[in-house]
Structures are given as C-alpha cells and as structure tokens.
Amino acid sequence: MNAADIKAARAAAVAAAVADVRRIEAEEGITPASLARIRDRLMELAAQQHLFPLAEFPPPPAGQKGSNRYLLHEDPDGRFAMYLNALNPGNETKPHDHTTWAVVVAVEGQELNRIYRRLDDGTDPARCQIVLDHEVMVEPGRGLCLMPDAIHSIHTTGSVPTRHIHMYGLALERLEGRRAYLPETGEVLPYNRHFMKPTAQARG
C-alpha cells in the first residue's frame, strides 16, 4: 500500500472503531464491562500496525522526554477523542485522574500503568491518601480500562519507542478539574490540561 492508501484505510478503520465505541456507550453506558468491550474493539484497531507506521507517527528525537500526541478522531463536541501517543522509553507521569473514561491499547512498545487506590474519603480537595493497588503493562494484545475516577501513573519501559492509542470520553484539552495525587506528600494538585493538546501531525 502506498501512503495515500494507508491514510485512507486508517481513516476508515478509525471511523469504524469510533462508531462501534459510540454504540457500546449508548447501549451500555460506562461500566467496567462496557469499557472492556471498548478495549477489545480498540485492540482490533491497534493490531493493524501497518495503519500506524513509525515513519508517519514518530516519537520525539531519540533520548528526548515528552510525547508526540497525534489526534486521530474527535467529535465536534469533543466527545470520543482518540489519539496516538508516541513516546521514547524513560517517560513517566505523576499519579492523576481524567474525570472521564479512558482506554489505552498498544500498537507497539510497553507502557507500565500503576493503578492507585484511594484510602481517604475525598472530602478535603487538597489532600489525599493513595496506595498502589496493581499494575498493568499495556503492550500489543493487552490494554487498560479506566473509569472516570481512576487514578494512574504512566511509565514507558523497554527499549523501543511506544506507540499507543488512547481514547477518552472527552478530549483531553477540554477536561477541567483534573488532579494529580502525590502519594509521598498527600498533596492534590491541578493537573494542567493545556499541555495535553495534540502536539504533532502525522507525516503521511
């Protein structure tokens, strides 16, 4: 397939996946079970690695921290936002929430997700008590589902760049009130939404 054919096939595959995700949410709402169905559908999309070639979706230059975030789809109202995140090994985030549902699946590479459990009742907006509950390695064939109140941190591991598809109930740059949770100090801090905007465009 040439670049134009790949681009057209990718657009069709993404549109079909988004339509299925939209239907699952309409039929079932957002529950752990419905998110598992969304994860499985997105893993089918991510398995078509030829649609997301490294040449079109490169990470930042070798050794550079941060990510290249490519927007694959977003409804006009910001719903059902899908991105491809390309990162080098060695990146990590603070524990944070999303305030909307999220599903992460892998085209290539490994992303360790640490999922935290909150022990306090959340009545103090500036303080928290969280502990590590479990870990999920997102890699080809294994995805992650996060309910809106879930708290997780991301750690890219391995020796190859990571290209993962992230899908959210609402576009990242539209999310107000996201918070970071610091287990060492118990602080709850605003989690900047502006740096979550798409940062790159596919080269194809």
Side-chain angles (χ1 to χ4, degrees), residues 133-192:
D133 187 77
H134 63 282
E135 297 181 341
V136 176
M137 181 68 79
V138 176
E139 55 193 349
R142 188 179 190 190
L144 174 69
C145 306
L146 296 168
M147 293 290 285
D149 60 350
I151 300 170
H152 80 135
S153 61
I154 294 172
H155 312 263
T156 53
T157 61
S159 58
V160 299
T162 297
R163 283 178 296 131
H164 286 185
I165 293 173
H166 292 229
M167 190 166 189
Y168 302 89
L170 187 64
L172 287 170
E173 62 270 26
R174 295 182 181 234
L175 299 178
E176 304 286 352
R178 298 181 71 201
R179 295 291 181 265
Y181 301 82
L182 307 187
E184 300 85 358
T185 64
E187 294 175 276
V188 179
L189 304 173
Y191 201 62
N192 190 345

Side-chain angles (χ1 to χ4, degrees), residues 18 21 38 42 80-83 101-104 165-169:
V18 171
V21 170
I38 291 172
L42 294 182
F80 303 105
M82 182 189 296
Y83 309 84
W101 61 264
V103 173
V104 183
I165 293 173
H166 292 229
M167 190 166 189
Y168 302 89

Side-chain angles (χ1 to χ4, degrees), residues 38-68:
I38 291 172
R39 176 202 61 205
D40 292 348
R41 179 62 181 88
L42 294 182
M43 284 198 297
E44 294 177 9
L45 176 65
Q48 301 178 72
Q49 293 186 351
H50 66 286
L51 298 181
F52 307 98
L54 181 61
E56 289 191 47
F57 297 96
Q64 183 174 316
K65 295 293 182 70
S67 68
N68 284 347

Side-chain angles (χ1 to χ4, degrees), residues 5 41 44 49 79 93-94 103 117-118 124 133 139 203:
D5 290 339
R41 179 62 181 88
E44 294 177 9
Q49 293 186 351
R79 303 249 17 243
T93 68
K94 296 179 176 67
V103 173
R117 178 164 45 91
R118 192 164 184 173
D124 185 345
D133 187 77
E139 55 193 349
R203 295 182 179 178

